[in-house]
């Protein structure tokens, strides 16, 4: 494990770089987008609500409509970037959700899975033609849950309303997303692409995600967690490092330790189900099938 001190004021100058950040109107996404823009980057904020973006985004950030729960939306988002001749140095796949109850998204996929797994994977693939510059990369905002659970997600249960439980489904979605990030990196290496795939987790961060709970007990647990959690600015550090550091290695999994007093970032190997090639293959097949159904 590699551990080191790093703060956002150590970020290289970002003038001349373009970074896309999804879910940029609050929490980690807003913190990341704001810091990148302050360092000189052109930030394209991928958002679901342009009115909200106009209210909360700092002046100078460009907001474009994208819903990561919709394959059509992420495909159109990437296509419009290409049509406008925009070369993107980094994609930060940050948008995520933890749905309190079972619901289907616009593509007929369970909403947490659609937003956290299918959409980000489809967006990363669709944006590969516009990723460029001297050090292009895709940064998935992951979760340490995927590293700390030994449970292998049951892909056949994704659409089972009766089996839906908020936290297990969220953990399964982040595990599958990590598996897809590793799979993407392997495919990029095999093709000789310079694009790197990296996973950054924020630790336990106090964001709106803590309030997306289905029961009073869970909401109280989220409130307690926020008391001991990192602020969005603190949680954003690992994401900023992954998006900007020139020496980021492909396949890195980076984030803070459990203790809020530990300011170091730690780079570790991907663990759990995401490290299993067979599971990665099953997730890739599942996502490809979901994407194909939207285009049938």
């Amino acid at each position: 494990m590699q551990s080191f001190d790093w703060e956002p004021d150590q970020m290289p100058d970002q003038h001349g770089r373009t970074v896309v950040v999804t879910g940029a109107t609050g929490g980690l996404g807003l913190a990341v987008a704001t810091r990148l823009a302050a360092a000189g980057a052109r930030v394209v904020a991928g958002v679901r609500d342009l009115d909200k973006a106009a209210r909360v985004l700092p002046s100078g950030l460009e907001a474009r409509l994208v819903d990561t729960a919709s394959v059509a939306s992420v495909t159109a988002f990437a296509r419009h970037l290409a049509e406008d001749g925009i070369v993107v140095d980094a994609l930060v796949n940050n948008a995520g959700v933890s749905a309190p109850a079972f619901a289907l998204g616009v593509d007929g996929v369970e909403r947490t899975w659609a937003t956290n797994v299918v959409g980000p994977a489809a967006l990363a693939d669709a944006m590969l033609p516009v990723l460029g510059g001297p050090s292009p990369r895709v940064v998935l905002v992951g979760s340490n849950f995927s590293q700390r659970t030994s449970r292998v997600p049951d892909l056949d249960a994704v659409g089972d309303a009766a089996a839906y439980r908020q936290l297990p489904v969220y953990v399964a979605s982040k595990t599958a997303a990590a598996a897809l990030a590793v799979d993407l990196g392997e495919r990029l290496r095999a093709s000789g692409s310079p694009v790197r795939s990296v996973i950054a987790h924020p630790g336990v961060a106090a964001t709106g995600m803590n309030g997306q709970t289905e029961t009073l007990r869970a909401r109280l647990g989220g409130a307690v967690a926020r008391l001991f959690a990192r602020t969005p600015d603190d949680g954003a550090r690992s994401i900023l490092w992954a998006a900007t550091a020139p020496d980021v290695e492909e396949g890195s999994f980076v984030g803070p330790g459990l203790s809020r007093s530990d300011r170091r970032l730690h780079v570790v190997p991907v663990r759990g189900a995401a490290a299993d090639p067979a599971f990665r293959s099953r997730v890739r097949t599942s996502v490809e099938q979901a994407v194909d159904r939207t285009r049938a």
Side-chain angles (χ1 to χ4, degrees):
M1 180 175 70
Q2 177 190 4
S3 301
F4 53 92
D5 294 314
W6 191 87
E7 298 295 337
D9 59 9
Q10 297 172 250
M11 195 188 325
D13 180 78
Q14 294 298 294
H15 285 89
R17 296 186 83 234
T18 298
V19 184
V20 169
V21 182
T22 63
T25 56
L28 293 167
L30 180 57
V32 169
T34 301
R35 280 284 194 174
L36 287 169
R42 175 186 182 182
V43 176
V44 178
V47 304
R48 291 188 302 169
D49 185 338
L50 290 174
D51 290 335
K52 181 179 180 180
R55 294 194 305 271
V56 304
L57 290 178
S59 175
L61 270 71
E62 175 185 352
R64 294 192 176 213
L65 195 64
V66 65
D67 179 2
T68 59
S70 164
V71 171
S73 180
V74 301
T75 303
F77 178 82
R79 183 178 67 250
H80 294 154
L81 291 173
E83 290 171 350
D84 293 341
I86 298 174
V87 177
V88 177
D89 294 88
L91 164 64
V92 179
N93 251 331
N94 165 72
V97 70
S98 178
F102 181 88
L104 296 179
V106 294
D107 291 335
V109 179
E110 187 280 313
R111 191 158 65 94
T112 297
W113 199 263
T115 306
N116 297 358
V117 183
V118 179
L123 178 59
D125 279 344
M127 283 192 56
L128 289 179
V130 301
L131 286 168
S135 183
R137 64 195 70 180
V138 176
V139 179
L140 171 72
V141 178
S143 169
N144 213 16
F145 279 133
S146 70
Q147 295 282 93
R148 296 181 177 276
T149 181
S150 59
R151 179 177 295 177
V152 178
D154 181 0
L155 302 184
D156 294 329
V158 169
D160 187 346
Y164 189 88
R165 298 294 182 273
Q166 183 179 10
L167 182 59
V169 169
Y170 175 73
V171 174
S173 76
K174 300 307 282 188
T175 302
L180 290 170
V182 176
D183 174 80
L184 174 63
E186 291 181 337
R187 289 187 288 122
L188 291 169
R189 284 197 304 274
S191 70
S193 170
V195 178
R196 287 172 274 184
S197 178
V198 185
I199 306 171
H201 79 88
V204 179
T207 69
M209 192 80 73
N210 301 116
Q212 296 173 356
T213 50
E214 58 185 340
T215 65
L216 175 61
R217 180 178 180 181
R219 286 195 294 272
L220 290 173
V224 171
R226 285 195 294 273
L227 294 175
F228 298 95
R230 299 176 186 272
T231 65
D233 282 336
D234 190 1
R237 290 184 306 121
S238 58
I239 304 165
L240 289 166
W241 179 83
T244 65
D247 56 346
V248 170
E249 294 185 7
E250 205 291 312
S252 296
F253 189 105
V254 60
L258 289 176
S259 173
R260 192 167 58 177
S261 63
D262 182 359
R263 298 289 299 173
R264 295 173 299 167
L265 297 180
H266 307 277
V267 179
V268 299
V270 173
R271 302 189 180 101
D276 177 8
F279 176 70
R280 295 199 297 269
S281 177
R282 292 200 302 274
V283 177
R284 168 56 56 186
T285 299
S286 173
V287 168
E288 288 175 345
Q289 290 172 346
V291 170
D292 288 344
R293 285 195 294 270
T294 70
R295 296 169 178 166

